[in-house]
Amino acid sequence: MEQLLAEVEFLKEKVVKSERLNESIVKTAVDAIITIEEDGSIRSWNEAAQRIFGYHSNEIVNKSILQIFPNKYINTKVEIDVKRLVKIWLRNKIGQITELSAIRKDGTEFLVEMSASSWESNNQFFITGIFRDITERKQTDFSLQKLSHALNNTKEVVFMTDTDGVFTYINP
């Protein structure tokens, strides 16, 4: 009996350590980590989600995940079956990195990368999404594309060399 109690205590400690590790990771992540239930309601919202989307967790937990997506993804003229949306759309995104628009609390639309995973507990289905604001990266990409276009279309000769004087770029 003592050995059984010791094993139970050991397992409890393992669970507590695992929960603390998970909480630490979620709390310190730079990306938004959002978990939703099968009905589309937000179950958890980390500090990065608060910073990125502008909602404090007490404003958004238990609300619909649709609140952070623009209307172009959702036909607001018909009754939305959120459970069906979660099952079809989000489940199809599991294991992929998807680029999409999101909405901040102040109404501004911005670009995010989302990766999602699913899990079950007590016969209930959950999806955890990790969202990264890619607005700045997209602006940089656009600026680089403009610069590349200008370099490739100028009548002047533009070239680059490495430190040994070997050409690394010559425009057309």
Side-chain angles (χ1 to χ4, degrees), residues 37 63 73 89 127 148 160:
E37 296 184 21
K63 301 277 181 8
Y73 296 121
W89 190 79
I127 293 177
S148 176
M160 293 188 297

Side-chain angles (χ1 to χ4, degrees), residues 51-65:
R51 180 179 39 78
I52 292 168
F53 290 95
Y55 292 98
H56 192 277
S57 61
N58 63 10
E59 296 176 283
I60 194 112
V61 169
N62 298 320
K63 301 277 181 8
S64 172
I65 189 67

Side-chain angles (χ1 to χ4, degrees), residues 24-33 46-52 130-133:
S24 174
I25 291 168
V26 170
K27 184 176 180 154
T28 60
V30 295
D31 295 331
I33 301 176
N46 73 342
E47 290 178 21
Q50 179 178 322
R51 180 179 39 78
I52 292 168
I130 300 175
F131 296 82
R132 174 173 290 164
D133 183 344

Side-chain angles (χ1 to χ4, degrees), residues 68-81:
I68 65 168
F69 292 115
N71 288 339
K72 66 184 172 186
Y73 296 121
I74 305 151
N75 184 351
T76 56
K77 301 216 184 295
V78 296
E79 185 63 30
I80 299 167
D81 182 353

Side-chain angles (χ1 to χ4, degrees), residues 12 70 86 117-118 158 162:
K12 281 183 181 178
V86 168
S117 63
S118 65
V158 179
D162 63 15

Side-chain angles (χ1 to χ4, degrees), residues 18 39 47-48 51 61 64 90 104 110-111 117 126 133 136 161 165:
S18 178
D39 67 358
E47 290 178 21
R51 180 179 39 78
V61 169
S64 172
L90 285 177
R104 289 190 174 93
F110 66 109
L111 291 172
S117 63
F126 299 91
D133 183 344
E136 191 173 308
T161 64

